């Protein structure tokens, strides 16, 4: 019976998912363009900078808070569905320099994020602000993902990064659980530690409501949960007693041009 149920979960509500439809890709790009414009227009670097209750929960309460970034999830696209989540956390007693050393150790992300990643490899780097790497993810399925990462130093106490998937391939049968994985991170150091905020935007094929519900419960198809796992693992890994992180490796090829910002002829309402 469990096998039959699992098989049912693999059926998409739409067309076969081996190829992302052009209209789905364009609608995703339009959403990304609007989302990045929204992020750039924000006056506060962190949401917790202007939200006293949120700051209290993550700093004093040591909670990881998740918020829907742009209204209820999922956002329906033509032939796909998009999730847009924000998570905020605080890591006490750590410096921004130490946290960045860990996060830029792309060859060992499976050590730091073992709950969601089983292997990783740095493919190229340009200085300390451009990286491309591959990873094998454990959820929502076994997936090989390659990403292009750009780091930006805002000032000595603040950094942000943009990580855009350039290739997503499910190992074995393709079920369409993940087509795009874009994430945007902000880090701010204070006297007591580092505040972390992440926004992840994921695209999958279109699934019916029952499949989404059962998939979330049984198969790990849950972008919010994955984001929580990432922040929990980040905090636990960087705070391990005696942990040390290697320097950036030498001898790698320089990365090519960064992935350009998403373009869109007309921005749909859902991205506003």
């Amino acid at each position: 019976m469990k096998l039959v149920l699992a098989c049912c979960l693999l059926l998409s509500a739409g067309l076969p998912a081996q190829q992302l439809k052009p209209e789905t890709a364009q609608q995703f790009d339009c959403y990304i363009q609007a989302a990045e414009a929204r992020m750039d227009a924000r006056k506060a670097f962190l949401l917790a900078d202007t939200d006293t209750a949120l700051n209290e929960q993550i700093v004093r309460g040591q909670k990881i808070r998740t918020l829907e970034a742009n209204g209820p999830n999922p956002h329906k696209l033509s032939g796909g569905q998009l999730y847009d989540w924000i998570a905020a956390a605080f890591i006490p007693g750590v410096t921004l320099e130490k946290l960045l050393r860990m996060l830029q150790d792309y060859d060992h992300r499976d050590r730091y994020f073992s709950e969601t990643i089983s292997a990783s490899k740095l493919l190229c780097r340009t200085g300390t602000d451009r990286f491309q790497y591959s990873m094998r993810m454990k959820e929502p399925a076994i997936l090989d993902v390659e990403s292009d990462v750009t780091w930006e130093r805002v000032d000595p106490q603040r950094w942000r990064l943009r990580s855009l998937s350039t290739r997503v391939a499910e190992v074995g049968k393709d079920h369409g659980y993940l087509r795009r994985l874009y994430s945007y991170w902000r880090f701010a150091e204070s006297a007591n530690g580092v505040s972390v905020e992440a926004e992840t935007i994921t695209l999958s094929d279109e699934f019916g409501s029952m499949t989404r519900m059962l998939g979330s419960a049984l198969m790990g198809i849950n972008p919010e949960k994955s984001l929580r796992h990432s922040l929990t693992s980040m905090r636990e890994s960087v705070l391990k007693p005696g942990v040390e992180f290697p320097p950036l490796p030498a001898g790698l090829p320089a990365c090519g041009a960064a992935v350009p910002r998403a373009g869109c002829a007309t921005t749909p309402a859902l991205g506003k």
Side-chain angles (χ1 to χ4, degrees):
M1 181 65 180
K2 290 182 179 179
L3 182 58
V4 173
L5 178 58
C7 290
C8 291
L9 289 173
L10 307 182
L11 298 178
S12 168
L15 297 172
Q18 288 78 8
Q19 186 82 25
L20 194 63
K21 295 193 297 184
E23 57 266 36
T24 311
Q26 182 183 11
Q27 288 178 18
F28 178 79
D29 286 346
C30 288
Y31 188 96
I32 292 297
Q33 183 187 62
E36 290 184 346
R38 165 174 51 81
M39 296 177 211
D40 291 343
R42 256 174 49 178
K43 294 183 179 179
F45 184 70
L46 302 173
L47 294 179
D49 290 342
T50 56
D51 188 331
T52 304
L54 176 61
N55 187 70
E56 182 82 5
Q57 290 168 356
I58 65 173
V59 177
R60 296 190 61 180
Q62 286 295 292
K63 295 180 179 179
I64 294 174
R65 282 290 316 278
T66 55
L67 310 162
E68 290 176 310
N70 186 36
N73 287 307
H75 301 275
K76 183 174 173 56
L77 307 184
S78 175
Q81 56 194 32
L82 178 152
Y83 289 83
D84 190 353
W85 285 100
I86 291 176
F90 181 76
I91 307 177
V94 71
T95 64
L96 185 53
E97 188 268 340
K98 182 177 182 180
L99 180 60
L100 263 59
R101 282 208 318 272
M102 184 187 84
L103 295 177
Q104 292 183 347
D105 183 15
Y106 290 100
D107 281 326
H108 302 108
R109 292 181 79 80
D110 54 314
R111 296 180 186 175
Y112 314 132
F113 302 94
S114 58
E115 198 163 355
T116 54
I117 299 174
S118 62
S120 64
K121 181 176 178 59
L122 180 61
L123 303 176
C124 67
R125 78 174 179 93
T126 301
T128 59
D129 59 2
R130 279 291 318 290
F131 301 85
Q132 291 177 0
Y133 75 102
S134 63
M135 63 179 170
R136 174 158 288 188
M137 298 178 62
K138 298 179 180 180
E139 58 179 46
I142 301 178
L143 295 154
D144 288 331
V145 179
E146 294 182 7
S147 296
D148 183 275
V149 184
T150 301
W151 288 79
E152 178 189 357
R153 185 184 185 187
V154 179
D155 57 39
Q157 283 75 45
R158 298 183 298 173
W159 281 78
R160 61 185 179 186
L161 75 84
R162 181 182 71 156
S163 176
L164 310 180
S165 63
T166 56
R167 176 179 176 270
V168 178
E170 187 171 348
V171 177
K173 182 177 174 60
D174 183 1
H175 301 112
Y177 293 147
L178 184 67
R179 296 299 181 198
R180 300 283 189 274
L181 172 58
Y182 284 21
S183 60
Y184 305 82
W185 296 76
R186 299 178 182 223
F187 309 91
E189 184 178 52
S190 64
N192 299 318
V194 176
S195 295
V196 181
E197 183 179 301
E199 181 169 348
T200 62
I201 303 175
T202 58
L203 174 67
S204 67
D205 286 351
E206 185 177 9
F207 295 94
S209 58
M210 182 61 70
T211 301
R212 289 201 307 270
M213 181 184 70
L214 293 175
S216 177
L218 301 176
M219 309 266 302
I221 308 171
N222 190 323
E224 180 192 14
K225 184 183 73 173
S226 296
L227 185 53
R228 281 182 175 273
H229 283 169
S230 294
L231 282 168
T232 300
S233 296
M234 182 185 298
R235 184 160 59 190
E236 292 175 349
S237 294
V238 77
L239 291 178
K240 282 183 179 178
V243 66
E244 294 184 2
F245 308 111
L248 292 174
L252 286 169
C255 298
V259 175
R261 283 181 174 264
C264 177
T266 56
T267 303
L270 60 82
K272 293 181 178 178

